[in-house]
Amino acid sequence: MPQVESAAASEGPPLPPQDAWVVEFRSLLPLWESLRDSSKVIIPISISRVNQFDAARLDVEMSAMLKEQLLKVFSLVKPGLLFQYEPELDAFLEFLIWRFSIWVDKPTPGNALMNLRYRDERAAPITGKEVRTGLEGSGLSVSQKIFYCISFVGGQYIWSRLQSFSAFRRWGDSEQRPLARHAWGLVQNAEVLYRAASFFNLFLFLYGGRYKTIVERILKARLVYGSPNMNRAVSFEYMNRQLVWNEFSEMLLLLLPLLNSSSVKKFLLPFSEDKSAGSSGDEADCPICRFSPSIPFIALPCQHRKCQSVKKNAVYSI
């Protein structure tokens, strides 16, 4: 019997080594630490570039609507009076939008429709227990808000006024003083530099999805989703239909003048159900000039309608 038991024991599965659990513990320890410190993992977020562009476009449209309503208030004022104060009017409307949106930590109308808000990227938490979706973070600081107003609202106003003043004074003319021509050259160089920087910033924005304008990049003001579970509030189905009908109407306006009306009538005449009406319409035209006479006359005895210039024999007005 002892020999049988020893043979059965020898035929069973081999026993693991004594330090097998130590090896397994050491292999699973990094995974356990990574799960325990999951709060330190950086959550990548991606904000739709289309939403950011649409939000900027909606803000422009909102400013245009406010400007249109304000101009209607002064519709009875002397024509052309508000034209010379147009930069001040635009700056005032932009300041109102900034005052009641960004200054009070609220999104602009376009950002609200696109479910976006500004976040201070410098103070945004990257890791930690408070990070759940990667969209956490405080809004812009007071200094960022003030600099945003100065650069966006004041910068646009100063630039538009400078352009109108330089054009009115004709700084670019060769007959002007050297100082005026030098100032005009500086203005042109500054415009070229700004456009080049905006173009380069556009490439960076399309690549990384952050900071669609130079001001946002300087201030580190990033647009993030206001709520992770809410979609944008704008539906583009109606806009798509409008675009289709607009393009279709433009195509018709382009092609219709190129078509010959008589050729179209002859082409559609065989498909017409009321052929008698078509024949009567042809008989109503003048057989000489092929147009409907403004002062028709009937020739006797053939009863044909003719123009006054081709009347013959016994003709009388109807």
Side-chain angles (χ1 to χ4, degrees):
M1 291 296 293
Q3 294 179 355
V4 175
E5 291 179 359
S6 61
S10 60
E11 292 177 358
L15 297 176
Q18 295 181 358
D19 58 346
W21 69 272
V22 178
V23 176
E24 190 69 18
F25 173 77
R26 291 177 179 177
S27 63
L28 295 177
L29 183 60
L31 179 60
W32 167 253
E33 291 180 352
S34 64
L35 294 176
R36 187 183 60 182
D37 300 336
S38 59
S39 60
K40 297 181 180 180
V41 177
I42 299 176
I43 302 177
I45 58 174
S46 178
I47 310 300
S48 175
R49 298 163 179 79
V50 177
N51 284 15
Q52 299 183 53
F53 278 125
D54 289 342
R57 183 62 183 174
L58 288 173
D59 288 336
V60 173
E61 295 294 336
M62 180 64 67
S63 300
M65 292 174 58
L66 293 177
K67 183 179 178 180
E68 182 180 0
Q69 296 297 325
L70 189 59
L71 291 178
K72 288 183 179 179
V73 175
F74 298 96
S75 59
L76 301 178
V77 183
K78 180 181 178 181
L81 180 62
L82 294 179
F83 179 74
Q84 56 183 344
Y85 300 107
E86 187 174 0
E88 286 79 8
L89 182 61
D90 294 337
F92 175 70
L93 294 177
E94 294 293 341
F95 176 79
L96 287 180
I97 295 176
W98 170 85
R99 171 61 181 80
F100 294 101
S101 59
I102 296 178
W103 178 252
V104 293
D105 291 328
K106 292 184 178 180
T108 60
N111 292 341
L113 291 174
M114 292 293 107
N115 186 27
L116 297 173
R117 69 177 182 90
Y118 277 114
R119 183 180 75 175
D120 187 4
E121 198 68 9
R122 300 172 302 179
I126 301 177
T127 59
K129 295 182 179 180
E130 67 276 6
V131 178
R132 293 293 181 268
T133 61
L135 303 176
E136 293 81 5
S138 59
L140 302 181
S141 61
V142 177
S143 60
Q144 286 177 317
K145 297 175 183 178
I146 295 176
F147 188 80
Y148 184 91
C149 178
I150 294 174
S151 58
F152 186 74
V153 181
Q156 289 185 352
Y157 168 71
I158 294 174
W159 182 253
S160 60
R161 267 303 176 190
L162 182 61
Q163 283 188 330
S164 60
F165 182 78
S166 60
F168 179 76
R169 295 290 182 177
R170 298 181 178 179
W171 285 0
D173 294 347
S174 59
E175 299 177 357
Q176 294 291 336
R177 295 175 299 176
L179 181 61
R181 292 199 303 269
H182 183 66
W184 176 256
L186 290 178
V187 171
Q188 296 297 317
N189 294 334
E191 183 177 4
V192 171
L193 181 62
Y194 177 77
R195 291 183 181 275
S198 300
F199 186 73
F200 182 71
N201 181 78
L202 177 62
F203 272 105
L204 295 179
F205 171 73
L206 294 177
Y207 178 77
R210 300 185 180 186
Y211 315 120
K212 67 179 183 298
T213 62
I214 299 178
V215 176
E216 294 178 359
R217 188 170 297 275
I218 295 175
L219 296 178
K220 297 298 180 182
R222 185 184 181 185
L223 284 172
V224 296
Y225 292 121
S227 175
N229 300 322
M230 185 178 72
N231 296 326
R232 60 185 184 182
V234 176
S235 177
F236 290 94
E237 295 179 359
Y238 175 75
M239 185 181 297
N240 293 335
R241 291 196 297 267
Q242 287 294 107
L243 290 175
V244 170
W245 282 111
N246 186 28
E247 296 297 330
F248 184 71
S249 61
E250 289 183 357
M251 183 186 66
L252 291 180
L253 291 176
L254 178 63
L255 295 180
L256 286 179
L258 303 178
L259 298 178
N260 190 353
S261 59
S262 60
S263 301
V264 175
K265 288 181 180 179
K266 291 180 180 179
F267 177 76
L268 297 178
L269 184 60
F271 303 99
S272 176
E273 297 180 357
D274 190 5
K275 296 184 178 180
S276 62
S279 60
S280 63
D282 293 339
E283 294 177 357
D285 296 339
C286 178
I288 306 300
C289 61
R290 299 296 181 181
F291 288 100
S292 179
S294 58
I295 304 178
F297 291 86
I298 297 179
L300 297 177
C302 61
Q303 302 293 325
H304 287 125
R305 297 166 60 92
K306 296 182 180 295
C307 297
Q308 185 179 5
S309 60
V310 296
K311 64 180 181 176
K312 298 179 182 179
N313 299 330
V315 180
Y316 63 92
S317 176
I318 58 173

